[in-house]
Amino acid sequence: MTDLVETETRGSLGLIRLNRPPVNALGQALREAVLGAYHAFEGDPAIRAIVLTGSGRFFSAGADITEFEGGRRHPYLTELIAGLEAGTKPVAVIANGIAYGGGFELILGCDYLYVLPQARLAFPEIKLGNIPGAGGTQKLPRLIGGPRALDLILTGRPITAEEALELGIATHLAPDFEAAIAHIAGKVAAGLPRRRVRDLSVPGEVAELEQAAEPYLRKSRGALATAKGVEGVRMAYSTPIDEGLAWEQETFAALNASPESKAQRHVFFAEREARKVRGLPADTPKRPIAKAGVVGAGTMGAGIAMCFANAGIPVTIVEQNRERLDKGLAGMRRTWESAVERGRISAEEAAARLARLTGAVDLASLSDADIVVEAVFEAMDVKRQVFAALDGVCKPGAILATNTSTLDVNRIAEATSRPEDVIGLHFFSPAHVMKLLEVVRADRTAPEVIATGMDLGQKLGKVPVLVGVCDGFAGNRMFINFNREAQLLIETGALPWQVDRVLTDWGLAMGPLAVMDLAGLDIGYAIRKERAATRKPTDPYPFTAADRLAEAGRLGQKTGRGWYLYPDGARRGVPDPEVEALIEQVSEEKGIVRRPVSDEEILHRCLWQLVNTGCQILEEGIAQRASDLDVIFVNGYGFPRTRGGPMFFAEQTGLAKVAADVARYHAEIGDHWRPSDLLLGAAGKGRGLDATA
Ligand SMILES: NC(=O)c1ccc[n+]([C@@H]2O[C@H](COP(=O)([O-])OP(=O)(O)OC[C@H]3O[C@@H](n4cnc5c(N)ncnc54)[C@H](O)[C@@H]3O)[C@@H](O)[C@H]2O)c1
């Protein structure tokens, strides 16, 4: 093992370099090593100032979050920082790269900050449901004022070296390490005093903070960490620092133990885990992707092509004819223009993205593409024709991907002479925005094609999750059952606005009925008509009210009426007595005696449908792990990170209770509630779903 810190003497400067690859996480051993090196320099009369810096691309990515689950050992980060503050010699940091979380707090425990151009600073704790816990909430306001500190603490956004200087966090911006050292040496020679951030007082009035806090509190919809962040910064104005620091530590520990923070940490680790493909050696070769092709410039094709262009990969998009191509290209151009107007990207960036895009009307233009993603109409014969044609024009080794939502990727692959090169890449709409990418492994997909698909997903800024072939893959197969249960509840006695309220109160961005109104009721209606012939007679069909609404032209937001009314183009619907009457009539026609449905029944029936279906998916090997299904719902279906996803929520609730509910619903409601063996097995053994899967 290499030394955790490297020390060096430069004239009267004592240099301590953090050296714990890959990210200089501040685990116990590193904290101890830094403190030891610091004390050695403090005690050395030849040293007049101490300089901390990092190795590689990192100053420090912060705490070692595996330590969050308990078993923290001395010296704590707070103790290390207090140690640095207690000495007599000035301490400077040269931030050579990323300084996040605890790394940033370590900086705030020092007197002077030199940022190198590649430095990035952030407090990402809020993303894990927490606030900085080693001085961040108390010291940053003292340094730059309450409102600006609040912005960094509550958004977790990283700032550049320039911004750190403008904000007054950095004292100097140096072109490189040696320039910083030379500058510090000059200052020390002239007599550099200590300048502890903890001794400063917050500039400005607390009223400014209250005003700045308001939008964050509103947007966070009651998130505990946001409220505590505000409280901490407010405290910095008037409370002695040691009291503030003690409050912050207690609050950090309490938030760390909260269900919201646990759930957010679960998602964080689940997203990392999802990248791993079981049985695929880490050194599986990946095919280089330097040029991409997309077939179809409709809703999805255009979004997918933008993903490539946004990620720096030149892409050719092919349509059936000029007119449709021009329409698609114009839409993409508009999307980039509006990103410029809203200040998301620069005009130069938009131009660079546009320059990576080529339009064509013949598949032969894709002959040099390393990957082609097909996004034409959802019809097997159309897709097979396209794949047979691609087989003819694409170079050997090109990956042929389909964005199908419902069709059998194996049958699509069979239309080519190279099924090993065929894979599903299931993007979600809008494809250039949504993070989720289901990477669909077909029976004959080659390992390196899977590895390349997963890798490409990350390069496109997506969260790729591996799934197998089945109707709806993992996400839609689960979500369809969730929606069906919502409809069943309505036929039983609930009303749309009750179902939506229960699920949004739980944390969903939108309820399922409001989502149908947004998407358009004609979409589901058309799919149901198409699938009517293949529907199992034993499956419940609770969509009669939805069908009647669609047939009556109540298509949702776009017609001003759907499940809800949208008077004067309102985006939020209001309940409609006509819909209530229609629902009551449908129940009566079906011989259902409507009964009051409790909020709890709504929540559990909707969520346990997801969980039971998810367990069946795991049993069939369609998904690798329960946590992957959580990743899918958080990134593709608007599920709140603060709940950790449906499978995690079920485990937190207790699988024994979930299994008992499912068994009861099976007896009382119908066969679509047949409990999955995996769920029963895990509940019976008292183990987690992934321990059993
Ligand atoms: N819309 C969604 O939310 C969504 C989400 C995930 C996946 N998908 C899947 O993506 C695919 C495309 O869906 P969409 O919503 O973008 O459809 P769309 O109708 O908006 O676009 C399809 C486009 O493909 C073009 N096209 C058809 N045949 C072609 C051919 N032979 N060569 C070139 N272009 C051809 C059409 O002209 C049309 O512009 C479907 O398989 C769909 O199931 C859609």
Side-chain angles (χ1 to χ4, degrees), residues 298-300 319-320 324 375-378 383 403 405 427 429:
T299 313
M300 294 307 288
E319 250 297 343
Q320 303 189 71
R324 283 183 182 253
V376 303
F377 302 130
E378 186 74 341
K383 303 245 185 216
N403 181 48
S405 302
F427 290 79
S429 183

Side-chain angles (χ1 to χ4, degrees), residues 1-6 17-21 30 33:
M1 201 174 118
T2 52
D3 287 339
L4 289 168
V5 296
E6 288 167 3
R17 191 186 299 274
L18 281 55
N19 184 31
R20 185 187 171 210
L30 180 58

